[in-house]
Amino acid sequence: MPSILVTGGCGFIGSNFIRLALSEDCSFLKDNGFDKIINLDALTYAGNPANLSDLEGDSRYQFVHANILDQALIEELLQDEDVMALAHFAAESHVDRSIDGPEPFIETNVTGTLRLLEAAKKRWLSLNEEKQAVFRFLHVSTDEVYGSLSKEDPAFCETTPYAPNSPYSASKASSDFLVRAYHHTYGMPVVTTNCSNNYGPYQFPEKLIPLVILNALDGKALPIYGDGKNIRDWLFVEDHAWGIMDALQKGALGETYCIGGRSEMENIQIVKRICALLDELAPISENPNVESGKIAKYEDLIKYVKDRPGHDRRYAINCDYIEEKCGWSPRETFDTGIKKTVEWYLANKQWCKDITDGNYARERLGNS
Ligand code: NAD
Ligand code: DAU
């Protein structure tokens, strides 16, 4: 019963990946001879089992509550469950948190990745030659490892030198180098993807897009760091998930692939776009959380706040290489993706409430 192990599958991108891989219109499992997906997640503040509650009872899905630091448990799991591929999403992922406290980022993103690589190496070495040839370790990384671009610079690509600027990106860069080293030194069959900013359903509301949607609906301030002109390259989360599947199946060993949406936008443009969509889909006149007459449109809630320390100015991805080599390209435009996203948050108020009722959210949301 060969299986694929996903780490961090209760988070934003991992849960979207698992749902898509198990969906009717996706032949990923069948094409690769996997009978099931095992999701190993430590359920940190960002890991939410509700993200995959719709898969309960699906025999092709199994959840394991564990930490990637637990190498012995993972070694046993890989062997017992005949794991033939790993898709490694688990990480501390929020830049602001890494600025407040870098240590968990080093533990999970660096030491955790090292332990996972060690366990995967042991499993890979235990296989016969034929099985070794199909075994894969896919490492999910970020474009932030490349640092910051000026407006005139060409977009990041696979050969851009690493220049991480935050504790988060430094920890991801370290993990990328470990993965690279395991290929170079031990011949491990690894593939790395470096993706731009994702958005879509199930994103934890500490990140810009869900934070703005939920704060606006609650009639709270929409915090814009600095002058709001920092640029990110946005990709709908399912497009990232498709890219990971393509890289797993068609990616060359030891290779890295940049994934992005060719959708560069200033933060202020994004926030205004969300506000315009909310004006249309959840008019203020019908929103009981906004004091009547206080504001005319959601945009009026925008508030410029102190900038993020070391805030990278611009990210942009040139994704020609994965398009050419793996046949991947984004299916959503920003217009279609952001509409789906806003509609999802409006249709899933209980999911949002369950998160915003928690202690973490009380401390963070709306306090800016
Ligand atoms: P997320 O914070 O939403 O989810 C992370 C998940 O990992 C959570 O379920 C959490 O419980 C789990 N986790 C954390 N530490 C763990 C540990 N020690 N052991 C086991 N599980 C642990 O993150 P995300 O936004 O879904 O990002 C997933 C991956 O994609 C990360 O590696 C991130 O660096 C990368 N990435 C994210 C983006 C983005 O825009 N969000 C873009 C490019 C790359
Ligand atoms: O580029 C990929 C990266 O994108 C991933 O590796 C990270 O895991 C992911 O969190 C994301 O990092 P960012 O720092 O770009 O995402 P965030 O949503 O935190 O911020 C997006 C931009 O919006 C950034 O320029 C900071 C700004 N911002 C963010 C928040 C939370 C604000 O102006 N106000 C806010 O309240």
Side-chain angles (χ1 to χ4, degrees):
M1 298 270 287
S3 55
I4 173 167
L5 180 76
V6 169
T7 68
C10 289
F12 165 47
I13 307 174
S15 61
N16 276 284
F17 174 86
I18 292 174
R19 178 173 296 96
L20 193 64
L22 292 174
S23 68
E24 265 179 23
D25 54 350
C26 181
S27 59
F28 174 73
L29 249 58
K30 200 168 114 243
D31 292 348
N32 293 281
F34 300 134
D35 287 310
K36 81 179 162 186
I37 298 185
I38 301 167
N39 169 19
L40 182 143
D41 198 298
L43 298 182
T44 67
Y45 78 94
N48 186 353
N51 291 2
L52 290 171
S53 54
D54 51 321
L55 296 182
E56 267 167 35
D58 189 327
S59 59
R60 301 166 305 159
Y61 173 69
Q62 182 185 337
F63 175 63
V64 177
H65 185 191
N67 198 303
I68 54 167
L69 290 163
D70 192 343
Q71 192 180 319
L73 178 145
I74 295 170
E75 282 177 10
E76 212 176 299
L77 186 72
L78 297 183
Q79 210 62 34
D80 291 352
E81 299 294 343
D82 194 15
V83 171
M84 289 301 295
L86 291 91
H88 176 33
F89 294 85
E92 288 293 337
S93 69
H94 191 39
V95 174
D96 291 329
R97 285 181 156 252
S98 82
I99 294 167
D100 293 346
E103 194 106 8
F105 287 74
I106 302 306
E107 278 165 18
T108 285
N109 301 359
V110 185
T111 309
T113 300
L114 173 69
R115 301 244 172 103
L116 195 66
L117 280 164
E118 269 300 297
K121 174 160 73 79
K122 200 165 173 187
R123 164 71 181 155
W124 172 65
L125 288 172
S126 77
L127 299 170
N128 63 32
E129 232 175 79
E130 196 188 330
K131 285 190 168 184
Q132 278 193 354
V134 292
F135 188 87
R136 290 287 180 278
F137 184 104
L138 186 128
H139 177 55
V140 181
S141 194
T142 171
D143 61 355
E144 300 208 10
V145 297
Y146 299 120
S148 185
L149 296 168
S150 73
K151 238 182 172 159
E152 300 72 35
D153 285 331
F156 302 132
C157 67
E158 289 74 8
T159 52
T160 304
Y162 274 35
N165 287 323
S166 72
Y168 163 69
S169 53
S171 69
K172 291 296 290 186
S174 309
S175 68
D176 292 8
F177 286 149
L178 282 170
V179 172
R180 176 191 157 90
Y182 269 64
H183 176 69
H184 188 82
T185 306
Y186 307 111
M188 280 264 294
V190 304
V191 176
T192 295
T193 53
N194 295 89
C195 188
S196 62
N197 283 62
N198 285 212
Y199 67 98
Y202 301 99
Q203 187 165 30
F204 193 86
E206 62 186 347
K207 309 281 166 64
L208 180 69
I209 288 183
L211 180 98
V212 164
I213 298 171
L214 298 197
N215 273 19
L217 290 173
D218 276 348
K220 293 178 182 164
L222 311 180
I224 310 273
Y225 297 166
D227 64 3
K229 292 186 189 296
N230 299 68
I231 292 172
R232 298 290 182 266
D233 175 353
W234 295 92
L235 181 71
F236 190 64
V237 62
E238 287 189 4
D239 278 324
H240 187 187
W242 288 119
I244 289 165
M245 290 183 219
D246 286 336
L248 249 170
Q249 292 172 101
K250 300 170 207 158
L253 301 188
E255 195 60 280
T256 65
Y257 296 92
C258 285
I259 305 180
R262 291 207 182 89
S263 189
E264 283 185 59
M265 291 175 87
E266 288 179 350
N267 294 337
I268 187 67
Q269 292 177 288
I270 300 274
V271 174
K272 287 188 173 171
R273 181 75 70 89
I274 294 169
C275 289
L277 274 168
L278 287 173
D279 285 333
E280 189 188 315
L281 300 168
I284 280 179
S285 55
E286 294 165 23
N287 184 341
N289 299 325
V290 183
E291 223 178 282
S292 102
K294 194 180 152 204
I295 52 163
K297 46 191 192 329
Y298 286 105
E299 229 183 90
D300 298 339
L301 293 169
I302 288 175
K303 187 177 173 196
Y304 287 88
V305 299
K306 195 165 167 274
D307 207 355
R308 169 187 282 174
H311 197 175
D312 283 339
R313 193 63 176 168
R314 172 178 167 237
Y315 303 145
I317 283 274
N318 175 342
C319 53
D320 288 353
Y321 192 59
I322 188 168
E323 286 189 338
E324 185 197 326
K325 297 291 177 191
C326 303
W328 173 89
S329 58
R331 298 171 184 206
E332 299 286 347
T333 62
F334 188 75
D335 281 346
T336 59
I338 195 66
K339 185 149 189 285
K340 279 186 182 177
T341 304
V342 171
E343 284 170 346
W344 186 87
Y345 280 91
L346 286 170
N348 288 276
K349 294 226 169 87
Q350 191 58 46
W351 182 92
C352 302
K353 190 171 178 307
D354 288 345
I355 289 180
T356 50
D357 278 355
N359 283 336
Y360 167 74
R362 251 199 300 281
E363 159 200 313
R364 171 115 200 118
L365 288 178
N367 276 354
S368 308

